[in-house]
């Protein structure tokens, strides 16, 4: 059971880059979204017989106040060796300019903590440095031109709106060990506003009629020799940062995430 991948992908999947448009021009919508988790039956050769669970994702804030994200993924997997319960939780805050990032990540398998990451990342003169307290106290210099999660979301949206089909970027989100950087390759499809096939939750409130883009992101461990990604995520991305139709591919098996509820949260307007 690749328990480490469960933690990494849960964070990366929902904390969803460059582009010609400035990041400030894109308005991310504070919201709470809930997804029903199920096994992707199209993945052959898996030792996973079934899966069920929930992902709850909440984002608040603005470009001037910074963005806070809370995520909880609870998944029950039916495997050949018995039932496996995974509980992933993350809490992050990122300033609007991508210069400061606070993260706390934990993964529990069958009630036991298997991964914890806690720390602060700061960017100075372009260099991203992490001061971690978990899994151990250390300071690590990660390098330059590394995107933080909300920066990555903004770049993805900007690239999609500009008609760019491919986006490559190194990304740091804190998981699984407070120092790992992933090289990402995103393939972005054409946008649409067609409501055919949309779940009810994706047609309500400020999502109604919004353009959305199909996105597939492959995550490669930086410096690794393998040309096979550690994991792949795909989703439909609305132009305000909300996602639907998740697919989380861990290699051995894949999970689907279906949007079952969506709630727009109060916006924090920036001072003029």
């Amino acid at each position: 059971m690749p328990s480490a991948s469960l933690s990494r992908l849960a964070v990366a999947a929902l904390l969803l880059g460059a582009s010609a448009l400035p990041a400030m021009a894109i308005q991310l919508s504070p919201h709470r979204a809930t997804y029903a988790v199920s096994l992707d039956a199209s993945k052959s050769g898996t030792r996973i017989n079934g899966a069920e669970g929930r992902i709850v994702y909440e984002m608040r804030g603005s470009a001037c106040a910074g963005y806070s994200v809370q995520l909880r993924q609870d998944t029950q997997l039916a495997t050949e060796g018995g039932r496996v319960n995974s509980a992933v939780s993350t809490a992050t805050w990122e300033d609007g300019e991508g210069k400061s990032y606070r993260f706390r990540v934990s993964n529990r398998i069958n009630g036991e903590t298997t991964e914890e990451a806690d720390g602060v990342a700061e960017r100075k003169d372009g260099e991203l440095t992490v001061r971690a307290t978990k899994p151990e106290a250390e300071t690590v210099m990660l390098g330059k031109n590394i995107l933080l999660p909300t920066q990555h979301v903004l770049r993805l949206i900007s690239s999609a709106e500009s008609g760019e089909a491919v986006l490559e970027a190194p990304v740091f989100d804190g998981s699984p060990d407070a120092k790992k950087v992933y090289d990402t390759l995103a393939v972005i499809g054409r946008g649409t506003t067609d409501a055919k096939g949309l779940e009810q939750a994706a047609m309500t409130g400020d999502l109604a009629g919004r353009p959305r883009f199909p996105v597939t992101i492959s995550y490669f461990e930086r410096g690794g020799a393998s040309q096979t990604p550690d994991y792949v995520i795909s989703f439909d991305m609305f132009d305000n940062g909300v996602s639907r139709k998740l697919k989380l591919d861990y290699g051995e098996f894949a999970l689907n995430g279906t949007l079952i509820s969506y709630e727009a949260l109060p916006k924090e307007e920036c001072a003029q």
Side-chain angles (χ1 to χ4, degrees), residues 185-244:
L185 173 64
V187 177
I188 307 167
R190 293 182 178 180
T192 182
T193 57
D194 188 355
K196 184 178 180 180
L198 285 183
E199 54 275 83
Q200 183 61 36
M203 296 188 291
T204 59
D206 61 349
L207 294 184
R210 294 196 81 102
R212 64 187 189 280
F213 305 84
V215 179
T216 298
I217 308 176
S218 299
Y219 287 78
F220 301 83
E221 184 173 348
R222 177 168 257 196
S226 175
Q227 296 186 6
T228 301
D230 279 20
Y231 55 90
V232 179
I233 65 175
S234 60
F235 50 93
D236 269 3
M237 177 185 66
F238 288 92
D239 67 346
N240 62 348
V242 179
S243 297
R244 65 169 291 273

Side-chain angles (χ1 to χ4, degrees), residues 3-231:
S3 59
S5 337
L6 281 168
S7 175
R8 293 197 299 268
L9 186 54
V11 177
L14 296 171
L15 296 181
L16 296 175
S19 69
L21 297 178
M24 286 291 288
I26 298 170
Q27 300 296 317
L28 299 180
S29 295
H31 67 280
R32 182 184 299 111
T34 302
Y35 305 83
V37 173
S38 61
L39 185 68
D40 186 341
S42 67
K43 189 81 172 180
S44 61
T46 180
R47 292 177 293 174
I48 308 298
N49 300 319
E52 60 181 3
R54 290 286 186 274
I55 298 172
V56 180
Y57 173 86
E58 182 176 304
M59 190 275 284
R60 296 177 181 266
S62 65
C64 48
Y67 300 97
S68 64
V69 172
Q70 300 222 11
L71 178 145
R72 173 82 181 186
Q73 177 177 345
D74 293 298
T75 310
Q76 297 79 47
L77 299 172
T79 75
E80 293 178 351
R83 199 166 183 83
V84 176
N85 297 314
S86 171
V88 177
S89 64
T90 73
T92 67
W93 179 87
E94 180 180 337
D95 82 317
E97 296 182 349
K99 293 182 178 179
S100 182
Y101 180 62
R102 179 79 176 86
F103 59 92
R104 183 179 299 116
V105 182
S106 70
N107 184 26
R108 294 173 65 84
I109 301 294
N110 292 336
E112 296 187 7
T113 300
T114 58
E115 292 174 344
E116 280 190 296
D118 193 303
V120 175
E122 304 245 342
R123 198 186 308 274
K124 185 175 181 181
D125 297 327
E127 183 87 24
L128 191 66
T129 300
V130 177
R131 298 192 309 275
T133 57
K134 291 180 181 180
E136 58 184 346
E138 61 178 329
T139 298
V140 181
M141 298 181 68
L142 298 180
K144 295 185 177 182
N145 302 317
I146 298 171
L147 298 182
L148 297 173
T150 302
Q151 282 186 300
H152 194 205
V153 172
L154 292 169
R155 294 287 181 86
L156 284 168
I157 296 172
S158 185
S159 295
E161 293 182 333
S162 299
E164 298 175 26
V166 176
L167 176 65
E168 295 182 78
V171 176
F172 172 79
D173 64 18
S175 65
D177 58 5
K179 59 185 178 183
K180 185 165 289 187
V181 175
Y182 287 96
D183 288 323
T184 70
L185 173 64
V187 177
I188 307 167
R190 293 182 178 180
T192 182
T193 57
D194 188 355
K196 184 178 180 180
L198 285 183
E199 54 275 83
Q200 183 61 36
M203 296 188 291
T204 59
D206 61 349
L207 294 184
R210 294 196 81 102
R212 64 187 189 280
F213 305 84
V215 179
T216 298
I217 308 176
S218 299
Y219 287 78
F220 301 83
E221 184 173 348
R222 177 168 257 196
S226 175
Q227 296 186 6
T228 301
D230 279 20
Y231 55 90

